[in-house]
Amino acid sequence: MDFNDTPEEAAFRTEVRAWLAANAPAHVIPQGVALDDTEEVQRGRAWQRAVYDGGYAGITFPKALGGRGGSVIEAVVFSEEEAQYHLPKGPYIGIGLGMAIAAIAKHGTEEQRQKFIEPTLKGELTWCQLFSEPSAGSDLANLRTKAVKEGDDWIVNGQKVWSSWAHRSDWGILIVRTDPSVPKHKGLTFFVVDMKSPGIEIRPIRQISGASDFNETFLTDVRIPDSNRIGDVGGGWGVCMTVLMGERLGSGSHKAQVSPLLDYAASTPGMNGGTALDSGSIRAALAQAMAEEQGAKYLEARLRTMVSRGENPGALAGMIKMSYASRLQKTSGLAMELRGLDAIAPSIDDTLTRSIQYDYIWSTVMRIAGGADEVLKNQIAERVLGMPGEIRMDKDVPFEALK
Ligand SMILES: Cc1cc2nc3c(=O)[nH]c(=O)nc-3n(C[C@H](O)[C@H](O)[C@H](O)COP(=O)(O)OP(=O)(O)OC[C@H]3O[C@@H](n4cnc5c(N)ncnc54)[C@H](O)[C@@H]3O)c2cc1C
């Protein structure tokens, strides 16, 4: 493939750059500044509204649903340019755009598309993902939260965990067990749930950073109308796969991490006079990081091309996420090393070091969130490289018969 923009793509990039230069700076959150989460969500909604008003929300969604009716490559160009600014685009926006409305567009009814897609593109609806449970993380199909049909409603009982930003979300995407008498992947159903529904209790989990971005979510006799079911009863696993591919492609999207580091090394005093950039070992580490970043950029281009042709990258999407997580860990670790002892306890006004420290701590969670490295490696080994699969004793056993 040709990695240079076609004349049309170059024109689109110029248009996007001009629009961002005129609109993004007012919405930027300075690096290292942590906002109160209510304010962050307000600013996230406002930025998403600005993107919608500018005509760039849901670039690949049809115009009839509030999108732009554009191509995957245009969406990539926009996100590459948008990534040059530090904007409020947390999971409360990302889960809606990348997962909820992607699932609704593919598996929902026309009524559901009309109800959810455009308001999400406008930033009016925020979303959380209610998938993981205490004994269902990597093995998501082991989930126990159940739904039983009663008239036109489903009654849901169970517990979810690690629900990012559930406390600031209007809606959740939810997967539950509706039939325990069949093997574990077959008895699951996918819903959207109004987070204000009676019976939903959200308990924050406190993190090392002091923030509480995620939660435990308890569901007790929560009533969900059947009209909020996405896809077939028992077809939830297929809907989940649409969602998770979006999550893995989205969470790794290319962002230059090394060039800011080059500038940082060039402005950091070296051990023997000069700058840190004079050190052979720092130069070697930066060169390695640069090579890995370029490799990831081209891998991502390859996968996006597949998506733009209507092909499904499947397990390959996990490579993007894995590569991003390991590169972030290395580059933020290198930045911490350059900063020296100050990196451990930066002063309150040293926003640059504070943001480096935040990235370093955060980089470890990226190796787990959205699929742990080990599990993604297993999937790539089995589904991409054709290596023998793990032994799965529970594959054909009814869920209720599992110990
Ligand atoms: C920052 C963050 C945000 C998150 N946000 C959400 C959210 O909004 N909504 C949501 O539903 N979930 C969310 N999660 C949960 C996330 O999806 C799970 O943490 C992830 O799927 C791993 O599951 P687990 O934590 O239960 O770990 P486990 O599955 O218990 O795994 C523990 C360890 O065992 C290893 N392991 C497990 N199975 C295998 C195997 N077969 N082979 C080899 N090794 C194995 C794993 O790789 C891992 O190292 C979030 C997690 C994080 C860290």
Side-chain angles (χ1 to χ4, degrees):
M1 75 181 280
D2 184 352
F3 292 104
N4 296 315
D5 288 340
T6 62
E8 296 76 35
E9 286 157 15
F12 181 67
R13 194 181 291 277
T14 306
E15 174 199 316
V16 166
R17 270 191 194 154
W19 184 82
L20 285 166
N23 293 279
H27 295 266
V28 160
I29 300 179
Q31 292 274 1
V33 171
L35 297 178
D36 156 67
D37 53 9
T38 307
E39 190 188 345
E40 180 171 338
V41 173
Q42 273 167 3
R43 292 183 59 168
R45 286 182 197 266
W47 172 240
Q48 187 55 34
R49 179 72 207 207
V51 172
Y52 175 86
D53 291 341
Y56 298 107
I59 289 183
T60 57
F61 281 80
K63 286 188 177 163
L65 294 175
R68 188 181 169 94
S71 68
V72 173
I73 302 299
E74 283 174 342
V76 172
V77 168
F78 186 82
S79 62
E80 279 173 358
E81 295 301 324
E82 192 189 30
Q84 307 302 321
Y85 298 85
H86 193 240
L87 292 157
K89 284 187 68 78
Y92 45 87
I93 296 292
I95 290 173
L97 299 179
M99 299 189 219
I101 62 172
I104 293 167
K106 187 158 178 204
H107 302 276
T109 61
E110 196 45 43
E111 200 180 316
Q112 289 166 341
R113 290 191 191 106
Q114 294 297 338
K115 181 171 174 185
F116 293 111
I117 294 179
E118 191 156 14
T120 303
L121 293 175
K122 285 179 173 169
E124 288 168 1
L125 300 182
T126 54
W127 290 82
C128 64
Q129 178 193 19
L130 302 169
F131 285 13
S132 304
E133 297 185 10
S135 59
S138 302
D139 186 8
L140 178 60
N142 199 39
L143 62 89
R144 283 167 196 279
T145 296
K146 63 174 186 185
V148 177
K149 188 96 189 286
E150 197 182 282
D152 283 340
D153 290 343
W154 292 84
I155 312 296
V156 182
N157 279 285
Q159 180 197 348
K160 297 288 175 179
V161 73
W162 311 125
S163 340
S164 303
W165 292 83
H167 61 304
R168 293 283 174 268
S169 295
D170 301 309
W171 285 83
I173 46 175
L174 172 72
I175 176 130
V176 295
R177 187 164 308 280
T178 44
D179 184 358
S181 72
V182 293
K184 62 182 184 176
H185 291 91
K186 296 195 174 139
L188 305 172
T189 304
F190 196 100
F191 292 92
V192 292
V193 58
D194 182 339
M195 293 303 287
K196 307 270 175 332
S197 305
I200 295 189
E201 187 198 343
I202 299 168
R203 295 189 200 158
I205 297 174
R206 197 164 170 81
Q207 296 150 227
I208 190 172
S209 62
S212 291
D213 293 345
F214 23 70
N215 308 273
E216 293 177 298
T217 306
F218 293 84
L219 301 109
T220 310
D221 293 333
V222 176
R223 243 170 216 281
I224 302 183
D226 191 55
S227 55
N228 285 352
R229 172 168 50 82
I230 311 294
D232 295 335
V233 175
W237 190 249
V239 186
C240 259
M241 289 304 103
T242 304
V243 170
L244 294 180
M245 188 183 82
E247 181 176 26
R248 283 164 198 172
L249 274 176
S251 48
S253 38
H254 181 76
K255 197 171 165 194
Q257 291 162 325
V258 185
S259 49
L261 208 52
L262 287 176
D263 296 341
Y264 187 48
S267 61
T268 302
M271 298 281 273
N272 308 309
T275 73
L277 209 46
D278 299 325
S279 148
S281 60
I282 300 276
R283 293 169 84 87
L286 285 166
Q288 176 72 25
M290 186 70 92
E292 287 175 11
E293 187 173 285
Q294 288 302 307
K297 182 177 167 187
Y298 296 133
L299 172 66
E300 187 180 339
R302 196 177 129 204
L303 299 197
R304 302 256 181 223
T305 307
M306 286 173 78
V307 174
S308 72
R309 289 185 186 141
E311 295 166 25
N312 183 344
L316 268 176
M319 278 181 78
I320 291 284
K321 212 280 292 188
M322 259 171 51
S323 151
Y324 171 73
S326 93
R327 283 181 295 112
L328 181 65
Q329 202 161 27
K330 281 190 213 158
T331 50
S332 57
L334 193 54
M336 290 284 282
E337 226 175 282
L338 285 170
R339 196 69 194 92
L341 282 178
D342 286 351
I344 295 167
S347 67
I348 197 81
D349 51 355
D350 183 358
T351 50
L352 176 64
T353 311
R354 280 156 54 91
S355 95
I356 288 170
Q357 193 190 56
Y358 182 87
D359 280 354
Y360 182 64
I361 295 172
W362 180 253
S363 67
T364 53
V365 303
M366 283 309 297
R367 304 196 79 148
I368 302 168
D373 277 10
E374 295 85 345
V375 172
L376 296 178
K377 281 182 188 165
N378 281 351
Q379 288 176 2
I380 291 161
E382 289 174 29
R383 296 188 207 149
V384 181
L385 304 175
M387 292 167 78
E390 276 191 285
I391 296 169
R392 294 187 179 93
M393 310 290 279
D394 56 2
K395 207 164 166 244
D396 301 315
V397 181
F399 183 75
E400 61 197 0
L402 296 175
K403 294 269 182 294

